[in-house]
């Protein structure tokens, strides 16, 4: 089993190093990750400049690009053989609900899915994350089962793990994506020359967080497992739009 491991926090992040140590016990793992924090990069590709990659002392590939760049480059050039699975994480902080639209971690897994591989994204839910080993153990459990019982390659398995000791994990729940309240998180400020600047602030609180959502699972001590598809077609709008198009 060959695994391409990436993230959006950078090759130096504690999550990817912890996950590499655990995955290396069950698979041949190649790490291809950004050279700096690329959180929020989503599915962006670097098209306006060349991408560079070099090997670190640990043998990881450090890439001057986005998580999507890393998976694309790793699959098509850096690995001698294409991976059987693409794993992204462990992300520092949760990727719940509509975080999926912005997350570079999930984007790395989505690129793996787009290339035809089984794809998994792993995140640790917390503001000051510390229990990376818990998330790594959970990831290995899920990945071992995926190896033995493969699922459709057009799905991304999004895993969110509570930031607690492993023995305090209550179990696993199959969940749907919840939703965050779209509050204004823009923080105005001034640069040293008095010019207006703006910061994107912290994530807002959840809005759709009831039972069955990923938010509810992790807040109650469970690992959230959410299958994500990438087909954005709104099939339930076909009838309405057919009537609209009849006007032309």
């Amino acid at each position: 089993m060959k695994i391409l491991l990436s993230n959006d926090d950078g090759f130096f992040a504690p999550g990817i190093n912890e996950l590499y140590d655990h995955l290396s016990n069950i698979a041949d793992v190649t790490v291809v990750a950004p050279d700096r924090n690329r959180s929020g990069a989503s599915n962006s590709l670097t098209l306006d400049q060349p991408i560079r990659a070099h090997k670190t002392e640990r043998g990881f590939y450090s890439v001057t690009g986005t998580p999507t760049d890393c998976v694309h480059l790793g699959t098509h050039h850096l690995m001698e053989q294409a991976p059987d699975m693409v794993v992204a994480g462990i992300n520092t902080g949760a990727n719940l609900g509509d975080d999926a639209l912005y997350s570079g971690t999930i984007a790395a897994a989505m690129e793996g899915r787009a290339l035809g591989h089984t794809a998994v994204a792993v995140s640790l839910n917390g503001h000051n994350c510390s229990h990376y080993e818990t998330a790594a153990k959970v990831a290995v459990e899920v990945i071992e089962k995926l190896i033995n019982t493969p699922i459709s390659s057009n799905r991304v398995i999004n895993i969110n793990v509570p930031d607690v000791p492993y023995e305090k994990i209550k179990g696993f729940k199959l969940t749907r994506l919840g939703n965050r309240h779209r509050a204004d998180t823009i923080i105005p400020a001034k640069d040293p020359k008095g010019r207006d600047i703006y910061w994107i602030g912290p994530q807002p609180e959840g809005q759709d967080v009831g039972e069955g959502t990923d938010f509810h699972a992790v807040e109650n001590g469970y690992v959230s497992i959410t299958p994500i598809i990438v087909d954005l077609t709104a099939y339930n709008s076909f009838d309405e739009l057919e009537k609209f198009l009849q006007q032309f």
Side-chain angles (χ1 to χ4, degrees):
M1 167 63 65
K2 294 185 180 297
I3 291 177
L4 190 159
L5 177 59
S6 192
N7 72 351
D8 69 357
D9 292 328
F11 74 91
F12 48 82
I16 198 169
N17 280 273
E18 188 75 39
L19 189 51
Y20 173 79
D21 289 340
H22 282 72
L23 287 179
S24 294
N25 294 322
I26 65 168
D28 178 8
V29 184
T30 300
V31 175
V32 186
D35 65 343
R36 60 193 185 280
N37 191 312
R38 298 303 298 262
S39 296
S42 189
N43 297 81
S44 59
L45 286 167
T46 300
L47 303 177
D48 61 343
Q49 57 186 306
I51 301 169
R52 294 177 171 82
H54 77 272
K55 267 194 173 182
T56 68
E57 291 182 3
R58 201 172 189 203
F60 294 0
Y61 287 100
S62 169
V63 177
T64 61
T66 67
T68 302
D69 293 331
C70 291
V71 174
H72 204 71
L73 183 64
T75 296
H76 292 299
H77 185 73
L78 297 178
M79 297 182 71
E80 292 183 3
Q81 294 180 323
D84 302 295
M85 183 181 296
V86 172
V87 179
I90 301 163
N91 190 68
T92 299
N95 278 306
L96 301 167
D98 34 7
D99 299 343
L101 297 173
Y102 310 101
S103 167
T105 300
I106 293 178
M110 283 184 174
E111 185 67 10
R113 182 220 62 86
L115 296 173
H117 309 304
T118 301
V120 177
V122 187
S123 302
L124 186 59
N125 180 48
H127 296 295
N128 297 292
C129 295
S130 59
H131 295 95
Y132 291 99
E133 185 177 13
T134 299
K137 287 181 177 180
V138 166
V140 168
E141 287 185 66
V142 173
I143 288 165
E144 283 184 319
K145 289 177 174 57
L146 288 173
I147 292 172
N148 296 324
T149 310
I151 63 169
S152 173
S153 61
N154 67 347
R155 302 285 186 270
V156 172
I157 301 300
N158 186 35
I159 305 171
N160 281 279
V161 182
D163 187 24
V164 298
Y166 180 78
E167 59 272 14
K168 291 190 176 180
I169 294 291
K170 293 181 179 179
F172 294 74
K173 284 189 178 290
L174 181 63
T175 61
R176 65 176 177 84
L177 296 176
N179 191 266
R180 292 191 185 277
H181 177 63
R182 305 320 302 170
D184 179 8
T185 60
I186 299 297
I187 301 173
K190 299 284 186 181
D191 71 9
K193 293 187 176 181
R195 295 171 296 197
D196 291 331
I197 58 173
Y198 303 92
W199 291 94
I200 302 295
Q203 294 173 322
E205 295 299 318
Q207 184 176 37
D208 176 10
V209 296
E211 189 169 354
T213 67
D214 45 4
F215 286 93
H216 188 272
V218 296
E219 287 301 321
N220 286 277
Y222 291 89
V223 174
S224 165
I225 306 287
T226 308
I228 297 175
I229 59 173
V230 186
D231 184 353
L232 301 179
T233 306
Y235 294 101
N236 59 359
S237 296
F238 272 34
D239 290 343
E240 180 183 4
L241 286 173
E242 283 286 359
K243 293 177 182 178
F244 171 76
L245 290 173
Q246 288 173 4
Q247 301 176 70
F248 292 90

